[in-house]
Amino acid sequence: LVCAAYSEVLAMWSAEPSFTVNVTLGTRLPLHPDVPRVIGDFTSSVLLAVQPEDGKTTFKDRTRRLQQQFYRDLSHKLFSGVEMQRELARAHGTAAATMPVVFTSLLGMPYPQADEQSTFPASVGCGISQTPQVYLDHVVYERDGELHFTWDAVEDLFPAGVLVLIVLCANLVGDGLRDALDPDSHKPRRRRAR
């Protein structure tokens, strides 16, 4: 649902009617009994094809179609988005292989809590994700029952003010989603994107 809302906002600003969202995945495959004890980055990606709609469909219908597309794309997850980009670069050049818009969902993942045993802070004051070839990364996670959104972007690649407008649009879409999911709630339960 959040990825669909993100895609809706991207579609407002995209120069192309069809585009790809690079969706990150945690892929800790059970190839050995000790895999859960291994420390490392098990991030992979799926390239999610976002197709234009006719403008007459509802958000619910568009979300359902995007979810179906995601499941089709996810069925090829053992051939990762990175491998797909390499093949595209080999066949069509580097420009054709660039998939710089990323969606990262950490929903369902435990958020570190501060306690006497933990080395994690009680709250995150500032954070940044710096990944080569990524222009815009929208991250969503849950903490204390609230949705939190962060945006990492290479600001110099966007015209002045566009990122602020994208975040404002996303907040409006998020508010609409919250109201649609819980129309009796008038108290905001999520934080604004930062």
Side-chain angles (χ1 to χ4, degrees):
L1 186 62
V2 178
C3 185
Y6 180 49
S7 297
E8 293 277 313
V9 172
L10 291 173
M12 289 183 218
W13 296 95
S14 178
E16 299 294 328
S18 298
F19 56 92
T20 301
V21 176
N22 201 333
V23 180
T24 60
L25 300 172
T27 53
R28 190 181 287 249
L29 298 174
L31 301 175
H32 187 276
D34 288 336
V35 165
R37 297 177 45 200
V38 175
I39 296 173
D41 185 0
F42 291 90
T43 304
S44 184
S45 63
V46 166
L47 301 178
L48 174 61
V50 180
Q51 303 298 324
E53 295 287 341
D54 61 14
K56 298 176 185 174
T57 58
T58 65
F59 176 72
K60 182 178 179 180
D61 291 336
R62 292 189 304 274
T63 299
R64 185 174 290 125
R65 269 197 285 283
L66 189 65
Q67 181 183 44
Q68 291 166 350
Q69 180 65 48
F70 177 71
Y71 287 135
R72 280 191 298 275
D73 295 342
L74 187 61
S75 70
H76 306 288
K77 73 179 179 182
L78 293 179
F79 189 78
S80 75
V82 171
E83 291 170 297
M84 182 65 185
Q85 288 176 277
R86 286 183 188 136
E87 290 301 316
L88 284 169
R90 217 178 334 270
H92 304 287
T94 306
T98 303
M99 307 293 169
V101 178
V102 178
F103 177 73
T104 302
S105 173
L106 301 176
L107 296 176
M109 303 287 288
Y111 189 87
Q113 301 295 322
D115 60 46
E116 294 118 27
Q117 313 267 320
S118 175
T119 58
F120 293 107
S123 65
V124 177
C126 180
I128 187 166
S129 169
Q130 294 179 322
T131 306
Q133 297 90 28
V134 172
Y135 301 171
L136 179 64
D137 187 2
H138 179 44
V139 181
V140 60
Y141 62 96
E142 183 182 354
R143 182 170 185 202
D144 300 327
E146 295 181 339
L147 284 180
H148 293 255
F149 301 119
T150 62
W151 297 79
D152 291 318
V154 181
E155 293 184 34
D156 293 343
L157 296 176
F158 296 88
V162 167
L163 288 174
V164 171
L165 291 173
I166 288 173
V167 171
L168 288 173
C169 286
N171 282 334
L172 290 173
V173 170
D175 287 342
L177 287 175
R178 185 199 65 232
D179 293 342
L181 293 172
D182 189 4
D184 296 328
S185 172
H186 300 291
K187 177 183 165 201
R189 290 193 316 254
R190 67 173 182 83
R191 291 189 177 179
R192 292 282 183 196
R194 49 183 172 103

